[in-house]
């Protein structure tokens, strides 16, 4: 078992297909890396695609993603390699230096990480070499217009650059994605599982995790977006699906109720289109804690599993309302 986060990061960089699964999933042909997260044991599995002999099986081999990642995921996967400043200068040539070390661009603030990790700061620039196309590097640039202890406002701009010379290829600005108040943005991370839309078309994901720092009323949520390169631009193909959610209310001693939902995404062949469908498997566990007759704390769990099939509608996948983030 490998427990070093740096070793895990290296596995990310050289992996052909990364999938996040709950630990109770059993698959063959995998190498596993495990660690303890806040809500569940997760296992990182690497599928060796070369072992599939059938081309159709290779293309549509299920690519699965679990909802909530480890708290330090964004720090582990930042791969700017000391080049973040050069990337930002090329993408925002009119940006100026601020006294606090940030950059100012058209009324927004850009924060560069001091090292090759974001140090837990969700407002810092992150980079990730795209395993599906390692000649390209993905950049997420938070453009903050307001930052305070009680409220933040800002966008995220996605950049795709040439990994060797940092030449800008594509960019897309996502309005309001960094805006929060009582429910704070906890982390921003790229998801580079192999979302194979078609034989020569792969998407990548962006995850934004939110949380409320309340012991009595805990709440956490991770939302996923998928994007594909189309010509000189980036196209959103899946918008705002919640892949992990947890909430609860209790007396901070025993009595209370908790709910945790995880949604896994699998690419599967479509019977009607050339673009793959996405099967979303939803697992919800509800826990009720009660004080027993001997003042012990008794817990009762109930788990339900549901499935949804998302089809590509020409401009993107249609996501049901009840699977989307509610602002």
């Amino acid at each position: 078992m490998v427990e070093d986060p740096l070793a895990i990061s290296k596995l990310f960089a050289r992996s052909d297909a990364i999938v996040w699964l709950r630990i109770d999933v059993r698959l063959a042909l995998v190498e596993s890396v495990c660690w303890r997260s806040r809500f569940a044991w997760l296992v990182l599995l690497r599928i060796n695609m070369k072992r599939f002999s059938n081309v159709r099986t290779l293309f549509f081999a299920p690519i699965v993603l679990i909802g909530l990642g480890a708290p330090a995921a964004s720090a582990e996967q930042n791969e700017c390699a000391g080049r973040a400043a050069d990337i930002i200068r090329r993408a925002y040539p009119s940006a100026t230096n601020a006294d606090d070390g940030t950059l100012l661009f058209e009324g927004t603030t850009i924060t560069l990480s001091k090292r090759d990790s974001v140090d837990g700061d969700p407002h810092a620039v992150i980079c990730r070499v795209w395993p599906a196309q390692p000649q390209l590097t993905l950049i997420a640039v938070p453009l903050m217009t307001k930052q305070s202890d009680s409220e933040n406002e800002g966008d995220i701009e996605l950049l795709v650059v040439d990994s060797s010379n940092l030449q800008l290829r594509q960019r897309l600005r996502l309005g309001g994605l960094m805006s929060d108040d009582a429910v704070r943005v906890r982390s921003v991370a790229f998801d580079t599982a192999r979302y194979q839309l078609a034989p020569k078309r792969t998407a990548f994901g962006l995850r934004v995790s939110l949380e409320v720092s309340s012991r009595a009323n805990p709440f956490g949520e991770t939302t996923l977006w998928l994007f594909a390169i189309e010509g000189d631009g980036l196209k959103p193909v899946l918008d705002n699906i919640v892949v992990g959610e947890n909430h609860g209310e209790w007396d901070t001693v025993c009595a209370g109720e908790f709910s945790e939902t995880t949604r896994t995404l699998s690419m599967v062949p479509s019977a009607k289109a050339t673009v793959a469908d996405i099967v979303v498997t939803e697992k919800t566990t509800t826990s009720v804690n009660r004080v027993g007759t001997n003042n012990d704390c008794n817990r009762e769990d109930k788990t339900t599993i549901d499935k949804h099939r998302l089809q590509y509608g020409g401009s993107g996948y249609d996501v049901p309302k009840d699977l989307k983030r509610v602002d």
Side-chain angles (χ1 to χ4, degrees):
M1 180 183 297
V2 180
E3 297 180 342
D4 182 6
L6 292 178
I8 294 172
S9 178
K10 292 177 182 177
L11 283 176
F12 271 106
R14 67 173 184 265
S15 179
D16 292 325
I18 299 296
V19 292
W20 293 85
L21 299 172
R22 294 187 66 86
I23 200 168
D24 56 352
V25 176
R26 297 177 175 86
L27 289 177
L29 310 177
V30 298
E31 299 164 2
S32 64
V33 180
C34 306
W35 67 86
R36 180 79 175 180
S37 72
R38 181 176 179 182
F39 299 106
W41 280 92
L42 302 179
V43 59
L44 174 64
L45 304 176
R46 180 188 176 199
I47 296 180
N48 186 345
M49 304 299 280
K50 295 180 181 179
R51 299 185 189 181
F52 290 93
S53 58
N54 184 278
V55 175
R56 184 174 178 84
T57 303
L58 172 63
F59 168 50
F60 287 114
I63 304 303
V64 188
L65 161 74
I66 195 169
L68 293 175
S74 58
E76 292 169 5
Q77 71 172 13
N78 195 23
E79 299 175 356
C80 292
R83 304 189 296 173
D86 291 339
I87 293 170
I88 297 303
R89 290 293 184 192
R90 287 169 178 260
Y92 308 92
S94 62
T96 58
N97 293 322
D99 294 337
D100 60 359
T102 60
L103 296 172
L104 304 178
F105 172 73
E106 296 183 354
T108 68
T109 300
I110 300 174
T111 301
L112 301 178
S113 54
K114 296 179 181 179
R115 300 188 300 274
D116 289 337
S117 72
V118 295
D119 299 324
D121 183 0
H123 304 119
V125 174
I126 61 169
C127 310
R128 180 80 196 273
V129 175
W130 192 359
Q133 300 186 58
Q135 73 276 15
L136 300 177
T137 295
L138 310 173
I139 322 291
V141 184
L143 298 170
M144 305 304 299
T145 55
K146 178 180 179 180
Q147 290 180 267
S148 71
D149 292 337
S150 60
E151 184 180 7
N152 295 285
E153 294 180 3
D155 305 337
I156 287 182
E157 186 157 33
L158 297 179
L159 310 177
V160 180
V161 304
D162 189 291
S163 296
S164 58
N165 60 21
L166 304 185
Q167 179 181 350
L168 182 63
R169 298 287 190 87
Q170 290 87 17
R171 68 194 306 165
L172 176 66
R173 187 159 174 168
L174 307 170
L177 218 57
M178 294 301 296
S179 298
D180 61 22
D181 40 44
V183 183
R184 307 304 294 267
V185 174
R186 177 175 64 95
S187 68
V188 177
F190 282 111
D191 175 359
T192 53
R194 195 175 291 267
Y195 293 101
Q196 197 81 44
L197 307 179
K200 294 184 179 181
R201 191 180 180 204
T202 305
F204 67 86
L206 184 75
R207 294 169 159 227
V208 177
S209 295
L210 307 173
E211 72 174 2
V212 173
S213 298
S214 169
R215 187 162 180 261
N217 299 96
F219 173 82
E221 183 179 78
T222 296
T223 306
L224 172 70
W225 289 259
L226 293 183
F227 306 90
I229 293 177
E230 286 202 359
D232 294 331
L234 278 175
K235 177 182 179 181
V237 294
L238 184 140
D239 178 56
N240 189 21
I241 181 171
V242 175
V243 291
E245 181 181 2
N246 65 87
H247 58 86
E249 183 176 0
W250 67 313
D251 61 6
T252 72
V253 178
C254 172
E257 296 186 11
F258 303 89
S259 178
E260 179 185 357
T261 298
T262 58
R263 296 187 178 101
T264 61
L265 278 63
S266 302
M267 310 302 295
V268 297
S270 173
K272 300 180 180 179
T274 57
V275 179
D277 291 347
I278 297 178
V279 171
V280 180
T281 301
E282 175 181 292
K283 182 177 181 179
T284 299
T285 299
T286 302
S287 303
V288 178
N289 292 353
R290 295 185 178 90
V291 179
T293 54
N294 297 323
N295 287 327
D296 52 345
C297 191
N298 300 320
R299 172 174 170 170
E300 182 179 345
D301 292 342
K302 179 181 179 181
T303 298
T304 60
I305 296 177
D306 197 6
K307 288 195 176 184
H308 312 267
R309 193 177 186 103
L310 310 184
Q311 296 181 326
Y312 194 82
S315 60
Y317 290 95
D318 298 321
V319 180
K321 245 185 203 182
D322 56 351
L323 302 187
K324 285 191 171 187
R325 169 181 165 184
V326 179
D327 294 323

